[in-house]
């Protein structure tokens, strides 16, 4: 009965995770990101030359494979420092601390690009559900929900005035082959796009990675029905 009610009211794992991520985290921290970046830039004027990259770059791997240490995921990504902490009192916790890490991304010419980047943490929940027999959540379910999570989050953020211009969603689907610097290339493509959109780009145009997906492509891959798909018993 609960399952039927959930389907009729269009409730969904991905919808819930996306809204929780926005209301409980992004809506709180994103409006403060540019101030933190501006403070860092005043102390380090040569590192963050392009203001258009003063955003939180949020990684959304459709595999839901979230690596806790970005430096281990890709040696061309190196931790630089943390931005100014954001301290808020939330849900009974006094002075809860929120912070973002700044990374240096090395390109093929050994040039360093700097940005704040982190994974969309709710994807860890989707991955964990696909590993737990009690959740009856298959790999196919996980992929479908990851796509829906991205599409829902994108719609929420696009309608948020507080978060406008403070984020960049980087959604991608990893190739089957192991690539040492796959992740850094994905991030670099987005950084170059932001530079290119607001400055005159000189030299060769950056390549377009085959794995980076946009909202239109995802919409074509996701079921047109807004109703959640029935969960299958096969686990991954």
């Amino acid at each position: 009965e609960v399952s039927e009610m959930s389907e009729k009211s269009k409730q969904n794992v991905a919808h819930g995770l996306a809204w929780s991520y926005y209301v409980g985290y992004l809506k709180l921290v994103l409006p403060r990101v540019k101030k933190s970046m501006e403070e860092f830039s005043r102390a380090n004027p040569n590192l963050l030359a392009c203001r258009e990259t003063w955003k939180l770059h949020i990684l959304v791997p459709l595999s839901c494979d979230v690596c806790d240490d970005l430096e281990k995921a890709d040696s061309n990504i190196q931790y630089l420092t943390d931005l100014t902490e954001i301290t808020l009192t939330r849900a009974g916790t006094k002075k809860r601390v929120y912070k973002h890490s700044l990374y240096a991304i090395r390109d093929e010419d050994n040039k360093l690009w700097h940005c704040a980047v982190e994974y969309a943490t709710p994807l860890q929940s989707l991955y964990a559900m696909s590993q737990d027999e009690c959740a009856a959540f298959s790999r196919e379910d996980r992929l479908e929900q990851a796509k829906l999570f991205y599409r829902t989050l994108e719609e929420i953020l696009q309608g948020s005035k507080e978060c406008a211009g403070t984020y960049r969603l980087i959604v991608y689907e990893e190739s089957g082959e192991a690539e040492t610097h796959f992740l850094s290339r994905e991030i670099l493509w987005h950084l170059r796009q932001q530079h290119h959109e607001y400055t005159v780009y000189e030299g060769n145009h950056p390549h377009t990675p085959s794995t980076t997906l946009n909202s239109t492509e995802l919409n074509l891959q996701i079921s047109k029905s807004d109703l959640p798909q029935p969960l299958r018993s096969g686990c991954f």
Side-chain angles (χ1 to χ4, degrees), residues 84-183:
T84 304
E85 295 180 349
I86 299 170
T87 304
L88 301 171
T89 296
R90 293 284 295 173
T93 301
K94 295 289 186 180
K95 299 180 180 180
R96 177 170 289 181
V97 175
Y98 300 86
K99 66 179 180 180
H100 310 291
S101 295
L102 195 67
Y103 287 87
I105 318 296
R106 187 179 303 277
D107 67 14
E108 59 277 6
D109 298 319
N110 282 327
K111 176 184 176 181
L112 294 179
W113 302 65
H114 301 88
C115 69
V117 59
E118 64 188 47
Y119 283 99
T121 53
L123 295 178
Q124 290 181 310
S125 297
L126 287 177
Y127 189 85
M129 289 177 69
S130 69
Q131 301 294 306
D132 194 319
E133 292 184 1
C134 296
F137 205 71
S138 70
R139 179 167 57 175
E140 290 77 16
D141 294 323
R142 186 181 72 199
L143 178 60
E144 184 77 8
Q145 293 297 307
K147 294 175 183 177
L148 187 54
F149 170 83
Y150 167 73
R151 190 177 68 178
T152 304
L153 181 61
E154 183 183 44
E155 292 176 353
I156 294 171
L157 288 172
Q158 285 178 347
S160 174
K161 295 181 180 179
E162 304 98 319
C163 299
T166 63
Y167 67 92
R168 179 93 173 189
L169 297 179
I170 302 178
V171 59
Y172 58 90
E173 187 166 16
E174 296 171 311
S175 63
E177 301 177 0
E179 297 183 45
T180 306
H181 301 302
F182 172 86
L183 186 55

Side-chain angles (χ1 to χ4, degrees), residues 60 62 143-144 146-152 154 169-173 211-224:
V60 185
L62 295 181
L143 178 60
E144 184 77 8
K147 294 175 183 177
L148 187 54
F149 170 83
Y150 167 73
R151 190 177 68 178
T152 304
E154 183 183 44
L169 297 179
I170 302 178
V171 59
Y172 58 90
E173 187 166 16
T211 55
T212 296
L213 306 174
N214 57 38
S215 182
T216 302
E217 291 172 323
L218 283 178
N219 283 335
L220 294 175
Q221 296 179 57
I222 302 174
S223 171
K224 292 183 180 180

Side-chain angles (χ1 to χ4, degrees), residues 29-116:
V29 302
L30 286 181
R32 298 169 171 84
V33 165
K34 285 203 172 183
K35 182 180 179 181
S36 297
M37 300 288 278
E38 187 174 358
E39 291 175 356
F40 179 85
S41 182
R42 283 199 297 266
N44 305 271
N46 296 324
L47 294 184
L48 298 174
C50 180
R51 296 180 66 92
E52 299 307 323
T53 61
W54 293 9
K55 302 171 183 177
L56 182 62
H57 295 74
I58 303 171
L59 301 175
V60 185
L62 295 181
S63 67
C64 298
D65 189 7
V66 173
C67 183
D68 291 325
D69 192 335
L70 287 173
E71 292 178 300
K72 291 182 179 179
D74 190 323
S75 60
N76 278 349
I77 303 175
Q78 295 188 1
Y79 168 77
L80 189 62
T81 187
D82 290 329
L83 296 175
T84 304
E85 295 180 349
I86 299 170
T87 304
L88 301 171
T89 296
R90 293 284 295 173
T93 301
K94 295 289 186 180
K95 299 180 180 180
R96 177 170 289 181
V97 175
Y98 300 86
K99 66 179 180 180
H100 310 291
S101 295
L102 195 67
Y103 287 87
I105 318 296
R106 187 179 303 277
D107 67 14
E108 59 277 6
D109 298 319
N110 282 327
K111 176 184 176 181
L112 294 179
W113 302 65
H114 301 88
C115 69

Side-chain angles (χ1 to χ4, degrees), residues 1-12 227-228:
E1 291 179 359
V2 172
S3 177
E4 290 178 358
M5 290 174 61
S6 177
E7 291 183 2
K8 289 180 181 179
S9 61
K10 298 185 180 181
Q11 294 177 0
N12 196 286
L227 293 174

